[in-house]
Amino acid sequence: MKKVVIIIFILLLSSIKIYSDNARYVTHKAKKGDGITTILVKYNLQVNKFNVDFFKENNKTNLNSDFGLYIGKEYFLPIRIFKYDGKSIRSSLEINDLEFAKKIQSYNMNLFRKKIKNSDYKIDQEIWLPLSFDNEKSNENSEKITNKIDNKKIKENIPRNIVEPLFGEKYKNVTVSSNSLSNCIFYLISGHGGPDPGAIGYKDGNELHEDEYAYDVTLRFARKLMENGAEVYIIVQDENDGIRDEKYLNNSSNEYHINKKPIPLIQKDRLSERIIIINDLYNQNKSKNKKQYCVEIHVDSRYTGQKVDIFFYYQNANSEGKKLANALMTTIKEKYDKAQPGRGYQGSVSQRGLYTLRKALPTTVFIEIGNIQNPRDQIRIIESNNRQAIANWLCDGFIYNSMGK
Ligand SMILES: [Zn+2]
């Protein structure tokens, strides 16, 4: 079935270096029913552009106008033949990469088992090397190197401890115990702050300020992300507050931005300053080659009677943001279904042209965790366990999203 032919004319047809010698290629004599695809599959080659183009290009004179084959004709395949030197695949091919050599070995063994190749390469002294392997090789090597570095990093760094004073005395020690999000950078914005308390709700004689609750959830979320190896920038900060377990959070107006500047009173200035900070950091961090996300958390106000489940906005025309927002929503839904069966979850995902979403360079989601005026939503916000659960679930959503599900 297979016959080896010296190909000389190939060098005229292609500029790729590998063809520029009198290399030998595997050939196949066409039988009834053979086509380009079936032959590639038979020889365990991928039906991709590279292999199909090679086939068409190098068998031009033996193909009809529909690229059909003629029975009995001999066709060149994108598999080069090397002489086995009696020692190893690596020395025969003058390569160092053991993994690559193993891949070539198993390719040859498999074709021998399939009876496509007549004998073992150690016997017929022929090593078959698909050209596409060589194409893939450089990419694979660089991936392998990256994996090695990552594994090393994991070994060195887990578990490790970080101290983040912003979390307050009780929570400032963070143990990084997983690397699930070690390829991610987060910019977290808790809505409002400084001179702007955001929405205000009332419960049992207490004023609930949106900025304080959003800040507490944001800190808990930040801590959770850090436990999973993420690099986190907390854009709005208040060193006096930390993570608080009380129901009624003390209201303050001394929050500032991560650059230690006060938060501007005018909304337009406030939002644009945050974006400038985040986009600068984004550009500085680009070389780290990590995924960069911006998350903005709010507890806004609707009319009192309206209960609002956690919902998400993503950036216009950002498919990654949309996918992310959906992953977060799905996670929250699953968590609710488990924690409170029958409760139902009415969250939603939509796009919106909010300033942060329009201007931020990282993939950005805007999260509303409830209606600060609604009595049932208030329970979600004032119980610290609930605030922690929201933070945990959002973090799980990111992990779920980063796993590509
Ligand atoms: Zn808000």
Side-chain angles (χ1 to χ4, degrees), residues 191-192 196-199 210-211 214 296-301 366 368:
H192 313 276
D196 172 22
E210 173 183 3
D211 67 333
E296 179 157 345
I297 294 178
H298 285 250
V299 198
D300 278 341
S301 137
F366 189 105
E368 287 277 7

Side-chain angles (χ1 to χ4, degrees), residues 235-346:
I235 303 299
V236 175
Q237 307 188 344
D238 183 344
E239 62 194 1
N240 302 319
D241 284 344
I243 293 173
R244 292 172 281 178
D245 290 332
E246 304 92 277
K247 274 188 179 176
Y248 299 107
L249 303 181
N250 181 42
N251 297 320
S252 61
S253 53
N254 53 354
E255 295 86 5
Y256 48 88
H257 280 150
I258 188 171
N259 60 4
K260 305 292 175 206
K261 287 187 183 160
I263 295 175
L265 175 61
I266 297 165
Q267 189 195 30
K268 193 172 154 284
D269 298 342
R270 188 170 63 233
L271 299 180
S272 76
E273 186 165 329
R274 287 175 188 177
I275 289 301
I276 290 166
I277 294 169
I278 288 168
N279 288 351
D280 276 353
L281 288 167
Y282 174 89
N283 285 322
Q284 282 169 35
N285 284 327
K286 247 183 179 169
S287 59
K288 292 179 184 169
N289 247 327
K290 293 182 175 189
K291 291 190 169 174
Q292 302 199 56
Y293 298 105
C294 171
V295 181
E296 179 157 345
I297 294 178
H298 285 250
V299 198
D300 278 341
S301 137
R302 301 286 186 283
Y303 60 90
T304 314
Q306 189 182 8
K307 176 174 151 295
V308 179
D309 269 338
I310 303 169
F311 64 99
F312 306 89
Y313 295 131
Y314 62 92
Q315 288 155 301
N316 187 18
N318 184 328
S319 55
E320 208 191 324
K322 187 177 181 182
K323 178 179 153 275
L324 169 64
N326 277 303
L328 293 173
M329 189 179 72
T330 307
T331 309
I332 300 277
K333 188 186 177 318
E334 282 171 5
K335 301 285 183 178
Y336 266 130
D337 287 349
K338 220 171 167 184
Q340 302 172 40
R343 172 196 187 273
Y345 164 68
Q346 310 292 333

